[in-house]
Amino acid sequence: MKARAYVNFALIKYWGKKDEERRLPHQSSLSFTVDKLYTDTLILFDDNLKEDNILINGNINLEAEKRVVNYLNILREELNVKSYVHFSSTNNVPTAAGLASSASSFASIALAFSKEAGLDLSKEELSRLARLGSGSASRSIYSNFAIWKTGNDKTSVAKPLKIDWPEFRIIVLMIDTNKKRASSTNAMEISVKNEELYSNWVKESKLDLELMIKAINQKDIDLVGKIAEKNSNHMHDLIESTKITYKTKDSLKAIKRIEALREKGISAYYTMDAGPNIKIITTTKYVDDILKEFDDIETLVCKSGDEAHIIK
Ligand code: PMV
C-alpha cells in the first residue's frame, strides 16, 4: 500500500514530552498542513522476509533506518501484524533540515501500514498511531489547521480545527537545507530538564493556544502572526537556554527583513522549528510583495495540503 502525507508547520509549537516512549506532549499544539512538502511511503508485507527491507529516498541511511524499524515494531505490536515489510519512502522535503520531514514521514507510514494490514482506521486512531512515530506526525493526518491535544495514550490525538480560510499562506524561506545540528528529540529532552523555564513555557503556550484559536476563527492575520511569532520566539529562547541554537546568521538577517516588511504595512510574520529555515505567515494579499523582497532566496508558497491519503 502506498500513502502520501503532507508536512505541517506549528503556529503553536509542541516542545517537550511527559512520556518519551508514548510521545505524550506536556502541552497542546496547533498547526497548518502545507501542499508543497510531502512524503510518499510504500509498504508491502512479505512473509518470506527475515527482516525489514528499508529504502529511504532510494538510499541506505542507517540512522533513519533504525528509527523506522523501531516504529515498524511498534506498529506490528499495536496492530497485531507478524510480517516483515518491503519499505520505500520518498520525501519531497529536504530531510532533517527542520522542514518537519518526520511529520509527513511517520503519518504516511502509519496510514500505509494500517491499510496494508487491511484496517480502515478513523482519523483519530491514525493520528494516535502517527504520534507514536513522531509527535508532530499526529497533526499531518489532517489538511488545513489541526490541534494536537495533550492527554493520555488514548486521548492525545490531533483533531481538525474547522475553519475555511482559503487565503491563508505559509511561505517557506529555504535558508539552508543541510542537515540540522541537534535532533528535536534530544533538544526537547534537555529543555524539559530546565524546570523553571520549562514550566513557564507550558503555562504560556496554553494561553497562546486559546488566543490563537480565536484569532484564526476571526481570520485576523495580524493577530495570528503576532501570537505565532511570540510562541516561536519563546520556544527558541527556551532551546537557547540549553546552549543549542537552530538560528543561523542568515535566519536572523531574514527575520530583520520580515520586520522591515511589516514597517511598510505588509502582514508578514515568522515562525521557526528545529532548523534554520523560516516560515512566513501571511495571506494571498501580501504574497507578491514578500516574494519581491526575497527574490534572492528559494521560496515555497504553500496553501493547505490534503489530508493523508492512499495513492493508487
Ligand atoms: O515531532 P518532532 O520530534 O519532529 O518535533 C517537532 C517539534 C517542532 O517542529 C519544533 C514544533 C512542532 O510542533 O512541530
Side-chain angles (χ1 to χ4, degrees), residues 17 32 123 194 253:
K17 300 181 206 40
F32 182 72
K123 292 250 178 336
N194 197 336
K253 271 191 215 153

Side-chain angles (χ1 to χ4, degrees), residues 199-209 230-231 234:
S199 65
N200 185 44
W201 156 252
V202 173
K203 205 173 79 199
E204 286 284 317
S205 67
K206 270 184 198 154
L207 299 175
D208 291 347
L209 177 64
K230 168 181 171 275
N231 183 266
H234 192 166

Side-chain angles (χ1 to χ4, degrees), residues 201 204 208 225-235 270:
W201 156 252
E204 286 284 317
D208 291 347
K226 274 182 199 141
I227 302 164
E229 221 176 78
K230 168 181 171 275
N231 183 266
S232 170
N233 283 332
H234 192 166
M235 180 184 80
Y270 62 87

Side-chain angles (χ1 to χ4, degrees), residues 141-248:
I141 298 300
Y142 302 94
S143 67
N144 219 4
F145 298 96
I147 301 178
W148 170 29
K149 287 264 169 76
T150 177
N152 59 35
D153 184 33
K154 229 179 132 196
T155 58
S156 182
V157 296
K159 294 183 188 178
L161 179 67
K162 294 213 171 67
I163 169 96
D164 191 25
W165 191 4
E167 299 84 12
F168 187 81
R169 292 289 178 276
I170 288 189
I171 303 178
V172 183
L173 293 182
M174 310 280 260
I175 305 269
D176 182 355
T177 50
N178 292 320
K179 194 176 179 336
K180 68 188 175 198
R181 280 153 290 177
S183 85
S184 50
T185 308
N186 295 339
M188 269 182 210
E189 262 187 83
I190 308 172
S191 298
V192 174
K193 289 193 184 121
N194 197 336
E195 277 174 35
E196 201 183 320
L197 287 185
Y198 190 76
S199 65
N200 185 44
W201 156 252
V202 173
K203 205 173 79 199
E204 286 284 317
S205 67
K206 270 184 198 154
L207 299 175
D208 291 347
L209 177 64
E210 280 171 33
L211 294 175
M212 179 61 86
I213 294 171
K214 280 194 196 133
I216 292 175
N217 277 314
Q218 289 162 8
K219 300 189 194 175
D220 183 337
I221 190 59
D222 293 297
L223 205 49
V224 168
K226 274 182 199 141
I227 302 164
E229 221 176 78
K230 168 181 171 275
N231 183 266
S232 170
N233 283 332
H234 192 166
M235 180 184 80
H236 285 276
D237 287 348
L238 175 66
I239 296 170
E240 283 170 16
S241 75
T242 71
K243 307 274 184 287
I244 294 170
T245 181
Y246 289 112
K247 289 182 187 155
T248 62

Side-chain angles (χ1 to χ4, degrees), residues 8 10 12-15 23 29 67 102 134-137 139 184-185 188 235 273-274:
N8 71 76
I12 301 296
K13 309 291 184 191
Y14 140 61
W15 194 256
R23 293 186 188 268
S29 53
R67 186 158 173 197
S102 67
S134 183
S136 54
R139 302 181 307 232
S184 50
T185 308
M188 269 182 210
M235 180 184 80
D273 296 293

Side-chain angles (χ1 to χ4, degrees), residues 245-257:
T245 181
Y246 289 112
K247 289 182 187 155
T248 62
K249 268 195 196 130
D250 288 337
S251 328
L252 294 172
K253 271 191 215 153
I255 286 174
K256 285 265 168 301
R257 290 166 74 181

